[in-house]
Amino acid sequence: MWNKERYTIGEVAALLNISPQTLRFYDKQGVVVPHCTDQKTGYRYYHYDQISYIDRVKYLQRFGFRLEDIRDALASNDVAQFKTFLLRRRETLRKEAETLNALLEDLEWYLAYYEHLDLRDFDDLPYKVQEPERCILAEPLEPGEYIYGTAGERLTRLQHSRTFSHTAFLRQHGYLLDYPALLRGEVVPTHYFVYLRQKPALEHPKIRTLPAGDYFCMQSRILAEPFDSTYVRRYFQNRSPGVVVASEYEDNFTSFQDCIYEVQILRLPLR
């Protein structure tokens, strides 16, 4: 049986479903040089073995290898070195995948953030939410300090400091509120905080944990409107409240004082 030994650029391109320009680029970069040249016509031809070689180059490019690195790795013709070449790329891809997965989780959280209040009409009626344990970086407010402003500056400076340069934060801020004042219809924050994606390994006095549990919730524009404490007083008349959290939900990108807050009060067991 006759075996074909020479293949034109067009034939190889058709076999591998790539463009002749790609093959010429491989040639120019010294990755795959045609096996021979016809002295009469000047046409350049590939050997059959080179078709498999080119296919391997294409395969390796899928993993994001640079063409010059592929050229050098294959030119060594050393399987042990080539395996090391692959192992290094695997480690790089694993780190990139971890980063992308974390970004995807944050994006999913951010979508859920905007969908959270869509599940309920803003009608001042209370509802219950079950929350997992959450971690916050909280800046205490000084006595008499205005609710909106200076504490936020201190928290922003701390959040973006070198100490927390490797800490992942969520795009959500809030306040810890004084409960007796809330019963009087007054919003008196004790801390201004930002949520962390997860509890960090580092220890810091301003990192706090919000307990998991059932939270009694109401929506209010606490920085712009009076807070109606009627339902809170009625519900907690025979209960001891736990932590009081006011989590911001941005529905205004230019005037943050007008944003909705979900006021959450941890429901402790009846005494």
Side-chain angles (χ1 to χ4, degrees):
M1 181 181 292
W2 175 76
N3 290 322
K4 186 175 177 65
E5 295 183 353
R6 301 194 309 177
Y7 293 81
T8 66
I9 288 178
E11 289 174 325
V12 174
L15 277 171
L16 296 175
N17 193 27
I18 59 177
S19 69
Q21 288 79 9
T22 298
L23 289 172
R24 292 190 179 95
F25 184 70
Y26 286 174
D27 181 8
K28 183 179 179 181
Q29 297 298 313
V31 180
V32 187
V33 178
H35 180 70
C36 63
T37 303
D38 189 302
Q39 297 301 318
K40 293 182 180 179
T41 63
Y43 289 160
R44 310 183 79 186
Y45 294 92
Y46 291 90
H47 190 273
Y48 177 75
D49 285 344
Q50 290 185 296
I51 295 174
S52 177
Y53 194 94
I54 294 167
D55 199 32
R56 182 177 284 106
V57 171
K58 281 184 57 185
Y59 185 77
L60 290 170
Q61 284 186 292
R62 294 175 56 242
F63 301 108
F65 287 114
R66 298 187 306 169
L67 200 56
E68 55 267 38
D69 292 336
I70 295 173
R71 176 194 63 203
D72 296 343
L74 294 179
S76 70
N77 204 29
D78 186 316
V79 171
Q81 288 186 26
F82 186 67
K83 184 178 178 181
T84 300
F85 172 71
L86 297 179
L87 287 170
R88 285 198 301 266
R89 186 59 183 161
R90 182 179 70 178
E91 183 61 24
T92 299
L93 289 177
R94 279 180 173 173
K95 290 180 180 178
E96 291 177 357
E98 289 175 1
T99 299
L100 287 174
N101 284 333
L103 283 174
L104 181 58
E105 288 178 9
D106 285 353
L107 185 56
E108 294 287 1
W109 173 88
Y110 206 24
L111 283 169
Y113 167 89
Y114 282 106
E115 292 169 353
H116 179 73
L117 296 185
D118 289 342
L119 299 175
R120 303 170 181 87
D121 294 328
F122 183 40
D123 55 9
D124 294 330
L125 294 178
Y127 51 90
K128 182 183 77 172
V129 170
Q130 188 173 47
E131 293 283 10
E133 184 177 88
R134 294 167 289 174
C135 193
I136 60 174
L137 179 65
E139 177 67 34
L141 274 76
E142 302 296 335
E145 186 174 5
Y146 182 53
I147 187 171
Y148 188 76
T150 311
E153 293 177 12
R154 294 197 302 271
L155 180 65
T156 299
R157 190 177 298 112
L158 179 61
Q159 178 184 348
H160 295 281
S161 68
R162 183 175 297 179
T163 302
F164 292 98
S165 59
H166 299 292
T167 303
F169 292 90
L170 299 175
R171 176 60 202 180
Q172 188 175 29
H173 293 78
Y175 295 95
L176 299 182
L177 302 181
D178 178 82
Y179 176 70
L182 195 69
L183 288 182
R184 300 192 300 268
E186 300 174 18
V187 176
V188 177
T190 61
H191 296 76
Y192 182 61
F193 69 80
V194 61
Y195 283 102
L196 284 75
R197 184 198 296 158
Q198 59 191 21
K199 188 172 184 178
L202 65 89
E203 297 288 336
H204 193 278
K206 292 185 179 180
I207 293 178
R208 300 182 57 161
T209 299
L210 302 180
D214 289 336
Y215 285 79
F216 173 92
C217 301
M218 292 186 64
Q219 296 175 26
S220 176
R221 300 185 190 275
I222 62 172
L223 301 184
E225 301 172 354
F227 181 78
D228 184 354
S229 61
T230 304
Y231 288 110
V232 178
R233 292 196 305 270
R234 183 181 304 166
Y235 186 81
F236 284 95
Q237 60 181 343
N238 295 318
R239 288 178 178 268
S240 297
V243 64
V244 182
V245 182
S247 298
E248 179 188 63
Y249 283 88
E250 296 173 347
D251 62 343
N252 188 316
F253 298 128
T254 57
S255 179
F256 294 105
Q257 294 189 71
D258 293 326
C259 288
I260 295 174
Y261 282 77
E262 183 176 71
V263 178
Q264 301 181 333
I265 306 174
L266 180 62
R267 301 166 59 194
L268 296 179
L270 290 170
R271 290 181 175 178

